[in-house]
Structure formats: C-alpha cells, structure tokens
Amino acid sequence: MSSNSLPRPTTPAGRDALATLLANPSDVVVAVDFDGTLAPIVADPERARAHPDAVPALAALAPRVASVAVITGRPAGVAVRYGGFAGVPGLDHLVVLGHYGAERWDAATGEVRAAPEHPGVTAVRAELPGVLERAGAWPGTWIEEKGRAVAVHTRRATDPQAAFDALTGPLTDLATRHGLVVEPGRMVLELRPPGMDKGQALLEHVRETGARAVLYAGDDLGDLPAFAAVEKLRADGVPGLLVCSGSDEVQALSARADLTLRGPAEVVAFFAALAQAMPD
C-alpha cells in the first residue's frame, strides 16, 4: 500500500515523524496503550478484549520495526490474555509493559518480570471500602483489584460524572496518606505508587532498544505522560508521532496529537496500513 493512502498528520512534526517511520522502520519503536486504543472501552473492564483486527495488524507491523510495546496500567499477564498476544507468529519480539512498566512480559520467553509491590497499595486496599462508604452512596460504583494498584470505577453509577467528582477528593486524601497518587481516567480513579507512568516506561524502552524514532498511540489522561515523553524525545532530536484514539469523553490528547483517529477500529486499521506502506 502506498504511503499516500495513510491518514495525514495535521502537524509538521507529525508529518516529519511519519516520513521517518516509513523510511527507516527498523529504527522505530511503536508503543500503544491497551484499553480504549487497542481494545474498545466496555462497562466491565474484565470483559475488555483487543479489537479483532489488532493482533493481525501488530503481527504485520512488528517484524518491520525495532519493537512493538503495549504499555498499560493493567497487570502484564492480564493484558496478554485479553489481547491474545501469546504464541502469535510475527509477534516474537512484542513486549507488554504492565503496571506502567513495573511488570514486563516478553513474547520471546512468555515470562513476566516484576518489581516488588509498594506497601501503600496493601494499606489502601484495606481502607478503601470504608472510605467509599463514608463518601456517600453511589450505586454502581465498584473497586477493581489491579495487583500493584487499585481502581474505583464510576461508569456504572446512575450519574457517573457526579460520582467521579465526589470521590476524587476522598480518594486523593487516602492515596496521599499511604504514599500513593491518584490517576484519573475515563470514569475511573486509580490509586498507584508514584513514578509509575507510561512516559517513564516509554522513555526506558526507547533507551533500551536504541530506537531513533517513536510512535505512541493512546486515548486517556493516563497517556499524557507518554505524550510528554515523545515531546521530550523530539526536543532531543528523535522524531515522534503522537496518535490519539479519540472519544467524546477525553479531549486533552486530541489537542496535542499529530493524528486523531476514531477509536480502536481506526487505530488498528492505521497500524495495518502502516505495515503495508513500510518496506519488507
């Protein structure tokens, strides 16, 4: 497929980065968020699965680039299962950086490596039900256990935004008492250790691979640190393409993106077209 058939980035930096990606794919890291970018957002996160075209698109792209990395707040093993990434021809060098880089799964070995858990997560986990009860009755609000983090979802509440707003303060206070931070997302508040973010995970992976260009695709507020990391790399002379998996819920990423696509279906179609436009 010709590069002319690819969506055109709206910024000069994005157009330059896309040209570099197509000219020298073996020097490129392609990094992508999971929920909302590869997988459609659903009311129950345990039912999230990668778009049906995601694995074929990544399998076509991965052999042409230096690395494909899925960077997610989920445990690495969960993202692997929900993504269907294990044992796929062409994805031999895929890595999944789970818990914002605290866990790493390598397709080559099928193993997960992990850092020790922050003690504050255990304390927050124990106190969280009481904090929610004191904050008021919000039917439909529920707690997701994420291993190295814990999240409170309000998407199923009668008034999701009101529940989100009411719980932000109490959960921030709880997190602060135990040395954690609160990361807001699309009707979710995640309590996790500081220093765990997608930007740091991305920078470390780019340094590890020695990549000379980078693409990052994301959809939510938790992806802003990765956008900032790409902008930092640009300032250091590394071309970077910022792709937003757009939605009506979050506008902050599209304002900074070089290319905005409408959700996972368009993101994976873009990856497939990008692979076809790259030399073998």
Side-chain angles (χ1 to χ4, degrees):
M1 179 177 291
S2 166
S3 61
N4 292 331
S5 64
L6 288 167
R8 181 175 171 82
T10 58
T11 66
R15 291 191 289 272
D16 289 346
L18 180 58
T20 299
L21 267 60
L22 293 172
N24 301 290
S26 62
D27 291 333
V28 174
V29 161
V30 174
V32 57
D33 166 52
F34 187 75
D35 291 282
T37 308
L38 287 181
I41 294 292
V42 293
D44 182 355
E46 293 183 2
R47 295 182 177 273
R49 296 295 184 270
H51 187 279
D53 295 333
V55 167
L58 294 180
L61 186 60
R64 293 171 165 80
V65 299
S67 175
V68 171
V70 177
I71 306 180
T72 175
R74 288 186 181 270
V78 171
V80 171
R81 291 196 304 274
Y82 291 2
F85 301 135
V88 177
L91 290 185
D92 313 67
H93 302 296
L94 177 78
V95 300
V96 175
L97 304 177
H99 284 309
Y100 309 94
E103 293 184 352
R104 173 176 173 142
W105 176 86
D106 287 89
T109 64
E111 297 177 353
V112 175
R113 290 178 289 164
E117 183 179 294
H118 190 291
V121 176
T122 302
V124 161
R125 188 180 291 123
E127 295 182 32
L128 188 54
V131 170
L132 293 180
E133 183 177 353
R134 291 190 295 274
W138 294 99
T141 296
W142 64 284
I143 299 169
E144 180 187 7
E145 174 54 58
K146 303 185 75 171
R148 295 171 182 273
V150 62
V152 176
H153 292 262
T154 68
R155 185 174 294 276
R156 299 181 197 163
T158 304
D159 189 335
Q161 188 63 55
F164 181 94
D165 294 342
L167 294 174
T168 298
L171 294 185
T172 299
D173 292 341
L174 173 63
T176 301
R177 287 202 309 273
H178 295 290
L180 305 183
V181 297
V182 171
E183 179 65 46
R186 293 167 69 174
M187 298 302 118
V188 60
L189 294 157
E190 183 172 315
L191 291 75
R192 67 173 191 245
M196 289 174 56
D197 67 51
K198 295 179 182 179
Q200 186 62 32
L202 178 59
L203 288 173
E204 290 178 0
H205 190 63
V206 169
R207 285 195 291 266
E208 175 190 328
T209 59
R212 298 180 182 177
V214 61
L215 179 158
Y216 184 82
D219 77 305
D220 204 351
L221 298 177
D223 296 300
L224 287 173
F227 271 40
V230 172
E231 290 162 352
K232 179 181 185 303
L233 289 167
R234 283 175 172 174
D236 293 337
V238 178
L241 178 62
L242 292 169
V243 178
C244 172
S245 177
S247 74
D248 295 331
E249 293 182 334
V250 177
Q251 308 296 326
L253 269 75
S254 60
R256 291 169 63 175
D258 305 305
L259 177 64
T260 297
L261 304 170
R262 289 295 299 179
E266 288 195 7
V267 171
V268 299
F270 172 69
F271 284 158
L274 189 62
Q276 291 186 39
M278 288 177 171
D280 293 327

